[in-house]
Structure formats: structure tokens, C-alpha cells
Amino acid sequence: MRLGTHIAGGVLGYTVAATFFQVPWTATGVVVASAAAVAPDVDTLGSTVGRVFSPIARRIERRFGHRTITHCYAAQGAVAVLALPFLWTGLPGGALPHLYAAVVVGYVSHPFLDTWTVQGVRVFWPWSDRRGVFPYYNRQETAYRTTTGSRVDAFFGITFVCLTVPFAVLEHDGYQRFVRRVQADAGAAVRDFLDWSAEGYLVEIEVEASDPQHLQRLEGRFEAVGTTGANTLLVRDTTDGRVFSLGPAYSANFQPDRVVAHRGARVQVSRRQITLDGRVLADLESLVPRTAHAGGGPDGQPLRHLIDGQVTVTEAAGITPDEFRFDTVTGSDKRLSFQFATLTDLDRLGLSGLLVEQGTVTLRVFTREGEAEDYDPQDTARSEVRRVTFAHKPSEPPQMRVQEGESVAVGDTIAVLTSSALLTARLDVAEAQADLAAAQAAPPPLASDPVALRQRLAQAEATAQRIADRHAQGFEPQSALDGARAGVADLRAQLAAAEAGASARAADWRRTQAERVREAAARLRRARHRHATASRDGIVRSTGAGVVRRIETRALGPDRTEVRVVLVAPRTGALDHSTSS
């Protein structure tokens, strides 16, 4: 047969062997199988391989002939024995069973395909010249067989190439995997998840599902987290951290139309039993490693992890079941159960700051192969928890003076509450200060009337003096002099009366102004007292010392919001012990 047909047959044989014997199917194996499939034709100058290695081909063809020493069963057995080192673990890189299969199957495929030709192969050489043919038909030796270079030969080559493709797909995924991809249901995805998880791989799920009860669709690629049955798979949406269940109706959130599992990265899983007695749930954060950025430090993103177990907390958690999602945290009153939960779930439900009376959880952390978890398992065992809680109106957010990760001492300001009472007190102080300033700066009443009378009196006295001088000279009568003097006397009387009234008004003004200043000062003192009281009540101070581990906010109603600041500090006994040691 032609060179191309032999190469296609050798690659097909290697692919079929890799599929059924579960050995790797690699590009190196394909090259080796191709080389092995054309190697037997080194016994003739009529082949491409023979022309490449012409000195060897000339000697073999001249001495033994074509399709003898390189095509017989003895040569095939010798190749199988000589290739055994590929199965030894002493080779660099360990055992290479796929190369052994490529060499043996590729070499054997050549003489087998040559038996399909009219000439056949002397398979029992050197003991017998009887030719092996396939298929054998005793009535006509050349029936049902082909000749090299014919159309049938080319047809076989094309057929081998076409058959290699589906077998390569089967080998890549495995027969079971191929069947599960065809099934594309939740049960098949569950089996794939269990198989790959046991081998240490992450699993991603390609989903097309619907919820007929709530008329919702679920499509996309999600992270598989676990199972709740043989036909129910749990997947997590990495965008918001929510978990959905895929499976039969009335037992899962979504009924899948198509579910295909994909194998992800290989990881190592560490499992630890964590006792949380006397700790807050936020302490679990110190046990989950974080990813590192290019600078070498953590960027705050925890690695993939899962939390399972049960705890009893000191106060009711108030968890409401979600009918559209799978509840990773369930419980009533103070008893909580975790199933495939994460730190994101604890934050979303406002549970991180809860104090645990008793309980144990199992923490599973998924890290890359060879990567250390890098945390102190005893870190939370030496911690002491303090909590500072205060409330405010939703419309009056507080001014937080601390952030997560900061150290706080006893008496430090945690937050400043800006309430309506404080704002009113500030306005009252400003208004009282303005009233006091206005009272102190009020001008006295104008004394305009006495001044005008004095001017008129001076003019009247001057006029009376001129009339008196003219009367002495005989130019003015006595009556004119008496009238002028009477006018002067009248103005003097009016001036005396005006000056007495101005003194009384000035005294009244001084009394009134003093009263206004006293009232304004008293109002300012009262306003400042109310402002000081409101400011003192609006300052939230720390009742303990430690590091701010968590700041949580949750609504207690339409007009009340609670803020909880969780402080974690080393226990006194543990600190003394660690110092002395």
C-alpha cells in the first residue's frame, strides 16, 4: 500500500489502542506511530522510506527480498521486545507506555495492511514462504484484495483518517466521558464531578436549565461545588457567590436541559476541623489563604474554600430561606448549619460578627499543587473578642473614625453620630450667639430735641441782645424788648424739660439693653449645654482594645440601623504565656 495509507493506518491503530488501553494520546505518539508504520518498507528501493535509506534498502532487498525480514511475525515480535524499555520506570521521565503502544501498533499495522494486497506478506519467513493474505478466498486468490496505488488503496487511507477523528475524541475524553457528554444530564455531570474531584481536579459546569415554577432561565458556565444526591448537582455563580441546585423537578432549583462537565485545574485540598467555641465566625478568614499579586503581597481575595458544619451562636441570626437558590447556611434561632458555604455567604447574610458559643466546622481549602497555605492554625485560638454596637437612623449615617485592620484602644472614638438633635443644637447655638452680638451692639437713642432747642435758645438770646442794644439807642420800643426776653425764657424752660426727658430715656435704654444682653447670654448658655450633651451622646467610644476585624451593618427596621464593630485581641493568658516562652 501507499505511504499515506500506512501512516493513516498506523495512527489509527495507535489511537484505537490508546482508547481501549487508557494510555495517553500525544503528538509524540502520533509521530512515533507514523514512523513505525512506514519502517518495514525499508526493505525495498521502491518505497519512499527505501529511497531515503537507500544503502540499507538495497542490501536488504538484494539479499532477502521485499516483504520478508521486516514484515514477518519474527520482526514484529522483535520490535515488541526491543521497545520494552518504554515500559520501564528507569527511563528519564518515568514509564512511557504510550510510546510503546505507538511503536508496536504502528509497526504491526504495516504488514497487516500489506496482507490486504494481492501479493500478500510472507509472515512466517524464514521458516516458510507461504504468503499471508486477508481476506482469504480459496476459489480465487486475488479476490477481495487490492493493489498498491489503486483507488481502493486511496479509499482505505481516507477511511483511516476519518476513523481516527472519532477515536481521538473518545481517547481524549474516555468512553464513559463520551457517553456522559452525549447524555448531558445532571446525573452524568454528577458522576463526572465525583470522578474528577477524587482525582484532585476542579470542575466547571456548562449549564442550560430552567425553572418552570418561577419562569426563570439559567445559562452559562459555573463552578461545581458539590452534590446532594445521585442526580442533583450544586453549582456556584462566581459573580455573586450564589449557589443553585440542578436536578429533578421539585427537588432542585433548576431542571437542566443540557449539563456538561469540564475538567479544570488540578489542585490539592486541605481539610481541617476548626473549633469555634468563644470565637467569632470572622476568625475563619485568618485560616483561608489569599491570592498574591505581582508585587508579592495578598490582594485580599481568598482562595477557593468550602465550610461545612454546625455551630450555636449567642444571638438569633434571623436567616430567611431563599426559594430561588440553594441555601448554603440554614438554621433557626441560634443554631446554624453550613453546607458548601463560603466567607462571602457569611458576609452576605451578616453572620461574620456573630459570637459562637460552641460548634465545629470543617474547612476545605483548594490550593495549587505545591503551594503552601501559609497561615497559623493557632492564630484564632489565642483571640479575645469585643464588640461595640450602636444604632442610628438610616437617613443619618454616622461618621466612622476606624477602619477594618486598625488598632483601637479603650476609649478611642469609634464613630460620630450626626443626629437631628445635634444639628438643631448647632443651629440654636449660632442663633443665640447672633442675638447676643446684636444686643451688645445696639446703639443708644438719639438726643436730637435738646440740641435743636439749644440752637434756638442761642439764636433767641442773640436776637434779644440786639433788640436791647437798639432799645438803649432809642430805636426799639419797650414792648419789642419784653417780647424777645419772654421768648428766651420760654425756650429755656423747654430746654430744661427736654434735658430731663432725655436722661430718663437714656436710663430706660440702659436698663432694656442690659436685660436683653442677660437674656441672650442665658439662651446661649442653654444652647451650648444642649449641644455639648448631643455631641457627647453622638460619640461612640470603644469599650475594649484590639484590632478591628469586622464592621457590620444591618437593618433592624425602617427607621433603625445597627452597626456592629468586632474587635479581636490576644487573650491575656495566652499573650503572657507566649511572651514567657
Side-chain angles (χ1 to χ4, degrees), residues 208-226:
E208 293 179 9
S210 61
D211 181 4
Q213 183 178 0
H214 302 98
L215 302 179
Q216 292 184 345
R217 290 285 299 174
L218 182 67
E219 296 181 355
R221 204 176 180 103
F222 303 93
E223 174 188 283
V225 297

Side-chain angles (χ1 to χ4, degrees), residues 298-469:
D299 63 1
Q301 298 298 324
L303 296 181
R304 188 176 186 269
H305 59 281
L306 295 174
I307 304 171
D308 299 279
Q310 293 182 339
V311 297
T312 301
V313 294
T314 57
E315 57 186 278
I319 298 177
T320 302
D322 190 346
E323 61 178 329
F324 302 103
R325 306 289 188 270
F326 176 82
D327 293 315
T328 57
V329 182
T330 57
S332 59
D333 198 17
K334 300 180 181 180
R335 186 71 172 175
L336 299 180
S337 297
F338 304 113
Q339 188 177 15
F340 306 107
T342 64
L343 295 175
T344 303
D345 296 329
L346 302 184
D347 291 340
R348 176 172 53 84
L349 298 173
L351 305 177
S352 298
L354 293 181
L355 184 63
V356 179
E357 289 184 353
Q358 60 179 2
T360 302
V361 298
T362 300
L363 177 63
R364 286 181 286 168
V365 178
F366 299 79
T367 58
R368 293 187 294 271
E369 285 189 301
E371 182 180 25
E373 295 187 30
D374 190 21
Y375 72 89
D376 183 4
Q378 300 300 324
D379 179 55
T380 58
R382 300 194 300 269
S383 63
E384 190 174 54
V385 180
R386 292 284 187 274
R387 291 184 295 175
V388 180
T389 305
F390 60 91
H392 64 88
K393 293 183 179 180
S395 59
E396 301 172 350
Q399 300 176 9
M400 299 300 300
R401 298 298 177 86
V402 297
Q403 302 295 331
E404 293 184 3
E406 294 182 356
S407 297
V408 175
V410 177
D412 286 353
T413 300
I414 296 294
V416 177
L417 303 179
T418 306
S419 62
S420 57
L422 180 59
L423 296 176
T424 302
R426 289 177 181 173
L427 294 176
D428 290 344
V429 169
E431 184 178 356
Q433 288 175 339
D435 290 344
L436 179 59
Q440 292 174 342
L446 297 177
S448 58
D449 289 346
V451 173
L453 287 175
R454 288 191 187 97
Q455 292 177 353
R456 289 173 60 190
L457 178 60
Q459 293 175 358
E461 289 178 345
T463 301
Q465 185 63 38
R466 286 195 303 271
I467 293 175
D469 292 341

